[in-house]
Amino acid sequence: MKKHTISLCMIVKNEEKHLEKCLQSVKNCVDELIIVDTGSNDKTLSIAKKFGAKTFFYKWNNDFAEARNFSIQQAKMDYILIMDADEWLDEKVDLQEVLNNEKDYYMVRIKNETSSGIGILHSAIRLFKNNIGLQYFGKIHEHLNIGDESLTLTNDNGNVLLYHVGYKNETYKEKGKHERNLKLLLAEVKRNPSGYNLYNLGNQYKSNKQHSEALEEYKKAFSLSKDKVYVNHLLFNMIDCLRILGQREEALEVVNASIESFPNYTDFYFLRGRIYGEMSYFIDAEKSYWKCIEIGEVKAAQTLEGVGSFLAYNALGDIYLERGDNVKAFEMAIEALKLNKYFLPALRLYMDSLVRTKIPVENIRTNLESIFPVANYNDLKHLIIVLTVVKSPLLQTYLDLYKLSVSESVLGINYLYSKKYIESFKIWKKIDIESEEYKDIILLSFILETNDLLEKCRQFVNLNKKEWKLLDKLIHGKNIELEKASEKFVEIIIFIAEKLIFLGEDDKFNYLLNVIANSDIALKIELSRILLKNGFAQNAQELLLASYSKNHANKDFVELLADTCFKQNQLKEALSFYNRAIELKHDYPTYEKMYRTLEKLNDQVGLLTVKNEIKRLFPLAEWVKSE
């Protein structure tokens, strides 16, 4: 195989944080390192020189294309590889094998790591022949002049993968990228309002959570971009903005039209599933996610990593968990973890579904070790993160097993959920708390019947004086009556109740249950939801039935009572309560629950009646149109 020489060409400024990893990944794959610096005042240049790079200074003039062209003008080798300092080359890539067919340029796959943990994949030309007339244009989001027909270029999809961290929130914040890019893009759009420039301006607004502004630019860009390679992602972002802005009907209209035009672009089905899920149209959401799995991952266009695999399975698991089908949720979590064991939401879904099925902690550990064996530090790190987030008593087991040190706040939470209450109290007595920890501290205070830690929580809890006094009495186990409570107070009481179930503190829970039984209806409804979610359908039902006569006109109350009947397979009773809930308010999710009940009863006449009603009342429901 003929050896082709390669020049790595980069433009950099203040990249000491990333540059070494970048150059380390590529040093044995290229013959020349060209580093063009635009004004670094950190260790960037010394790092470049350590790798033997040829360094050049270029005075920055707000034009990425000019800087990029200056860098490739310095290259002496057969081919040019373009990278940014916050990228690195996958260790499995063989550039010589890629260049074996000697094409003029190659599409390279780039995985953009995001703060959410979900990768965004797209393709770009990053590897091309030197000295054949290729050059960059565009002050920002610069691209090569491959459309110049006089060049008669050949191309291929190269088996090359680059990783990029520049889209992470902390990286954007560090470098002030949004302000810089927005200024350049606004100037570029003013100079040349092309579809591509408008699309990039929309992306910039969206990355800064300015969704209304982004939507406006996407709409302008679409009419100019219908035949462009980026149109799929333009439509995806447009639909996502509509979703985020609450314009769901329009979002569904656009996503369905997009699916007609691009029936194999998995991301559209995934987004449709998300929109339907947020509307509690679970049947349509479920069908959309299964379609994602049927189609699979997108191979060439820009895409969310996992939409055709682990993301779709995890989304299905969330639907099943919401429905109370813990077994199916567990199965979906396993499928997601098989495909990506480091996808933390799937590991959390796995843990949540196990906990809800009342499996003992030791059995959960055995199960966990089979699906997520700890083979290296990365495995352990991900497992510790999830166990910390879900507040599992298993965290202590792994801390002891691997002799790990964690912060005192993590240790304090760990002791609390390992039922080492005194040890937890001693830690929290001497350290400050963060905003996300205050409910745990109130829980600990309730269990230990002490208000010594409550002062530390006051800055995070907006309760009035009366509610603080009630909370103090509650902590000391006194008989109290809760009248109409604030939303924050209800949130705290329900948090305590759920964690008492989790900890198995029956006496404390029964006291709280008696307090809530004589309280505001909002508390009863929320506690009943918690009981139902955690497998105590009968207890939830008893709590609701005790005050049914006073609340028979409350739609949420009646529907929840129906849910408790359904969970206990009291199907005719469930059907009766769902009918009553629908009389109170025509609400799509209730119709869907009624349909599931009729399915279990195998009532074909009833099923047809409900389907016809859904068709008449809820035109956004797609599943009734196709069945």
Side-chain angles (χ1 to χ4, degrees), residues 346-410:
L347 189 54
R348 179 169 185 174
L349 173 66
Y350 175 86
M351 293 294 297
D352 283 344
S353 57
L354 280 176
V355 169
R356 288 197 193 179
T357 52
K358 303 294 182 294
I359 295 176
V361 171
E362 278 308 308
N363 291 359
I364 291 177
R365 181 187 171 186
T366 302
N367 207 307
L368 186 60
E369 287 174 348
S370 67
I371 193 69
F372 198 94
V374 176
N376 52 50
Y377 172 75
N378 207 30
D379 291 347
L380 182 60
K381 180 184 75 173
H382 281 77
L383 185 57
I384 293 299
I385 289 171
V386 170
L387 293 176
T388 302
V389 169
V390 301
K391 300 172 181 176
S392 170
L394 279 177
L395 177 59
Q396 185 65 56
T397 303
Y398 283 92
L399 293 180
D400 293 341
L401 181 63
Y402 293 98
K403 297 179 172 52
L404 299 174
S405 296
V406 292
S407 69
E408 286 195 292
S409 60
V410 170

Side-chain angles (χ1 to χ4, degrees), residues 38 100 195 208 212 377 414 426 433 441 446 452 468 546 553 605 609:
T38 62
N100 196 37
N208 202 46
S212 295
Y377 172 75
N414 172 53
K426 288 177 180 176
I433 70 171
I441 307 308
F446 180 81
D452 288 356
W468 274 112
V605 174
T609 301

Side-chain angles (χ1 to χ4, degrees), residues 227-440:
D227 60 343
K228 305 301 182 185
V229 294
Y230 58 82
V231 68
N232 297 33
H233 196 249
L234 188 160
L235 286 166
F236 179 91
N237 281 349
M238 185 191 299
I239 297 159
D240 199 36
C241 285
L242 288 166
R243 177 190 70 82
I244 293 166
L245 292 168
Q247 300 175 36
R248 291 178 178 140
E249 187 167 348
E250 187 178 350
L252 286 172
E253 184 181 331
V254 179
V255 80
N256 285 330
S258 300
I259 285 171
E260 284 186 23
S261 300
F262 305 98
N264 295 314
Y265 188 59
T266 316
D267 297 58
F268 288 144
Y269 296 95
F270 186 82
L271 191 50
R272 185 170 70 178
R274 189 170 183 182
I275 296 165
Y276 272 129
E278 290 172 351
M279 297 166 64
S280 297
Y281 280 50
F282 292 125
I283 295 176
D284 278 311
E286 184 182 3
K287 286 179 175 293
S288 292
Y289 290 133
W290 280 117
K291 186 67 176 179
C292 290
I293 291 165
E294 177 189 326
I295 298 172
E297 299 287 8
V298 175
K299 301 299 182 186
Q302 185 158 336
T303 182
L304 281 175
E305 180 189 24
V307 287
S309 58
F310 64 88
L311 278 182
Y313 278 119
N314 192 74
L316 284 164
D318 286 338
I319 288 174
Y320 297 138
L321 201 65
E322 177 68 24
R323 285 180 176 173
D325 194 337
N326 300 322
V327 173
K328 272 192 176 181
F330 175 74
E331 290 170 354
M332 294 300 100
I334 288 177
E335 291 301 320
L337 288 169
K338 283 179 184 176
L339 294 161
N340 185 349
K341 69 178 291 186
Y342 294 133
F343 184 53
L344 295 184
L347 189 54
R348 179 169 185 174
L349 173 66
Y350 175 86
M351 293 294 297
D352 283 344
S353 57
L354 280 176
V355 169
R356 288 197 193 179
T357 52
K358 303 294 182 294
I359 295 176
V361 171
E362 278 308 308
N363 291 359
I364 291 177
R365 181 187 171 186
T366 302
N367 207 307
L368 186 60
E369 287 174 348
S370 67
I371 193 69
F372 198 94
V374 176
N376 52 50
Y377 172 75
N378 207 30
D379 291 347
L380 182 60
K381 180 184 75 173
H382 281 77
L383 185 57
I384 293 299
I385 289 171
V386 170
L387 293 176
T388 302
V389 169
V390 301
K391 300 172 181 176
S392 170
L394 279 177
L395 177 59
Q396 185 65 56
T397 303
Y398 283 92
L399 293 180
D400 293 341
L401 181 63
Y402 293 98
K403 297 179 172 52
L404 299 174
S405 296
V406 292
S407 69
E408 286 195 292
S409 60
V410 170
L411 196 59
I413 296 294
N414 172 53
Y415 281 149
L416 168 57
Y417 291 100
S418 299
K419 303 182 72 168
K420 298 178 180 179
Y421 303 131
I422 301 300
E423 291 91 332
S424 180
F425 177 83
K426 288 177 180 176
I427 287 176
W428 291 111
K429 187 71 175 171
K430 65 182 181 181
I431 67 171
D432 293 330
I433 70 171
E434 301 294 333
S435 60
E436 66 272 13
E437 296 160 345
Y438 77 86
K439 284 189 279 190
D440 299 296

Side-chain angles (χ1 to χ4, degrees), residues 517-619:
N518 298 308
S519 71
D520 176 65
I521 185 59
L523 265 170
K524 290 181 186 177
I525 289 174
E526 290 305 315
L527 179 61
S528 298
R529 286 195 176 114
I530 293 299
L531 287 166
L532 183 61
K533 184 175 79 171
N534 286 279
F536 297 98
Q538 184 178 343
N539 302 81
Q541 188 178 79
E542 290 170 358
L543 179 63
L544 293 169
L545 284 173
S547 56
Y548 179 70
S549 60
K550 293 180 181 178
N551 298 289
H552 66 279
N554 184 314
K555 190 261 180 186
D556 291 338
F557 185 98
V558 175
E559 183 173 352
L560 188 55
L561 186 52
D563 294 342
T564 67
C565 295
F566 182 85
K567 189 67 175 177
Q568 296 176 86
N569 216 33
Q570 300 165 355
L571 301 179
K572 290 184 179 178
E573 293 86 347
L575 200 59
S576 175
F577 284 123
Y578 284 135
N579 267 311
R580 172 60 182 158
I582 284 172
E583 288 174 7
L584 293 168
K585 183 180 179 182
H586 290 291
D587 189 18
Y588 173 81
T590 315
Y591 277 93
E592 190 171 296
K593 289 176 180 178
M594 180 181 284
Y595 187 85
R596 289 174 58 214
T597 307
L598 290 163
E599 273 188 319
K600 289 190 99 175
L601 286 166
N602 196 27
D603 183 342
Q604 297 303 316
V605 174
L607 285 171
L608 183 60
T609 301
V610 171
K611 281 178 70 173
N612 287 334
E613 277 294 281
I614 291 173
K615 280 182 186 179
R616 184 176 68 85
L617 296 171
F618 306 102

Side-chain angles (χ1 to χ4, degrees), residues 166-183:
Y167 285 171
K168 286 194 172 183
N169 293 341
E170 59 270 25
T171 306
Y172 245 66
K173 188 175 179 181
E174 280 174 13
K175 297 183 177 181
K177 282 186 175 181
H178 172 69
E179 292 77 12
R180 179 201 68 188
N181 289 357
L182 183 60
K183 184 177 179 181

Side-chain angles (χ1 to χ4, degrees), residues 117-162:
I118 300 172
I120 300 174
L121 288 158
H122 77 279
S123 297
I125 303 168
R126 293 294 196 88
L127 186 60
F128 53 90
K129 273 184 183 177
N130 195 5
N131 298 315
I132 60 170
L134 286 173
Q135 60 181 347
Y136 284 94
F137 63 97
K139 289 181 181 292
I140 185 168
H141 298 295
E142 68 283 5
H143 44 292
L144 290 165
N145 59 329
I146 58 170
D148 186 341
E149 296 180 0
S150 68
L151 297 177
T152 61
L153 302 169
T154 60
N155 67 88
D156 198 3
N157 287 314
N159 186 21
V160 179
L161 177 62
L162 295 177

